[in-house]
Amino acid sequence: MQLGGGLSLLVFLLYLGFVNAVNFMDGINGLVILQTFVILLGMIWSGVWVDVAEFLWIVFGFTLAFSLFNVRKSARMYLGDAGSVGLGFVLMGLVLWKIYGGLSWGYLLYFLVMLMDTGMVLLWRLLKRENVFKKHHRHLYQRMVRGLGWHEVLVSIGYAIVQLLVIVCWELILKSSDNTVMGVVGLIMLLLVSYALLYRWVVKKEEQLAGNT
């Protein structure tokens, strides 16, 4: 597949945006490493990346080993900027490499949870005319943990389960339907509405808790 100048720029911005999104999402124990775990499982299950299966298993082994020290209330190891950016670079690189070779753009759904949380918060802050380069705690997972006091590992597991369900649904759509565009749109809209409703509920609960203190 040949990419024109405009499309190449879009791919570059998508690549850059996702790498930064992974870094933004690395704010609580287990979130990014469990997302990586689920994405790698999806890639291995799909069979699309069979030519790099050994590499996937190596990264999967690293993810599994690292999770023993990170997916816990008091983490003993952290990804840091280098780890989260590196994982984002590798994961999106694997998908864009296959898309360039003719794979469906629908495989970007493998990253839907992280992209949606980051994208929605960025859009909300832009509409509020906030400085998007300043540190904030507006991500849904941050509000759940900081605002409502939910256990960060449970929040991370919840995020991973949602992403796993998206990947499974996408793979089933591929196997059962020729109209994958509608499937992609449907999954995005379903998660978007669910995200918006949950975010609104969490904000209201935060306000109620703040009002009771």
Side-chain angles (χ1 to χ4, degrees):
M1 181 175 66
Q2 296 296 322
L3 298 179
L7 190 54
S8 295
L9 178 60
L10 177 62
V11 169
F12 172 76
L13 292 175
L14 176 64
Y15 204 159
L16 184 64
F18 177 73
V19 169
N20 279 280
V22 175
N23 193 27
F24 294 153
M25 296 296 286
D26 186 30
I28 60 175
N29 296 345
L31 200 153
V32 168
I33 205 68
L34 288 179
Q35 288 291 306
T36 302
F37 190 87
V38 166
I39 291 167
L40 288 170
L41 279 178
M43 288 179 172
I44 293 169
W45 174 47
S46 71
V48 172
W49 288 269
V50 64
D51 47 345
V52 289
E54 289 185 4
F55 176 73
L56 292 180
W57 281 111
I58 290 172
V59 181
F60 182 83
F62 156 77
T63 303
L64 181 60
F66 187 85
S67 67
L68 299 177
F69 301 93
N70 182 256
V71 187
R72 52 201 305 167
K73 184 175 182 179
S74 299
R76 296 183 180 179
M77 294 180 66
Y78 301 91
L79 285 172
D81 291 341
S84 58
V85 168
L87 282 175
F89 185 85
V90 169
L91 293 175
M92 182 57 81
L94 286 168
V95 171
L96 290 180
W97 164 51
K98 286 296 184 178
I99 288 176
Y100 184 83
L103 190 69
S104 170
W105 284 85
Y107 275 91
L108 291 174
L109 290 172
Y110 271 52
F111 313 117
L112 185 58
V113 169
M114 287 192 286
L115 287 175
M116 182 163 292
D117 197 346
T118 303
M120 290 295 289
V121 171
L122 177 61
L123 177 60
W124 186 81
R125 295 189 71 201
L126 286 172
L127 292 175
K128 292 284 187 178
R129 298 184 179 180
E130 295 183 2
N131 184 351
V132 296
F133 297 103
K134 291 188 66 174
K135 188 176 181 180
H136 67 93
H137 301 290
R138 301 265 172 75
H139 285 289
L140 178 59
Y141 75 85
Q142 291 172 325
R143 290 186 178 276
M144 288 176 171
V145 173
R146 293 173 179 269
L148 302 186
W150 292 4
H151 196 298
E152 52 191 282
V153 172
L154 294 180
V155 172
S156 296
I157 291 173
Y159 267 65
I161 291 173
V162 172
Q163 183 59 68
L164 178 61
L165 290 175
V166 170
I167 291 173
V168 170
C169 288
W170 165 242
E171 292 294 338
L172 291 176
I173 289 170
L174 278 177
K175 290 176 174 60
S176 62
S177 174
D178 294 328
N179 191 359
T180 58
V181 174
M182 291 301 297
V184 170
V185 173
L187 281 175
I188 292 175
M189 291 304 298
L190 177 61
L191 191 59
L192 181 61
V193 172
S194 301
Y195 178 91
L197 291 174
L198 180 58
Y199 197 99
R200 184 178 179 183
W201 180 83
V202 169
V203 170
K204 285 188 174 181
K205 291 292 289 184
E206 274 188 299
E207 293 172 348
Q208 290 174 3
L209 290 174
N212 293 331
T213 58

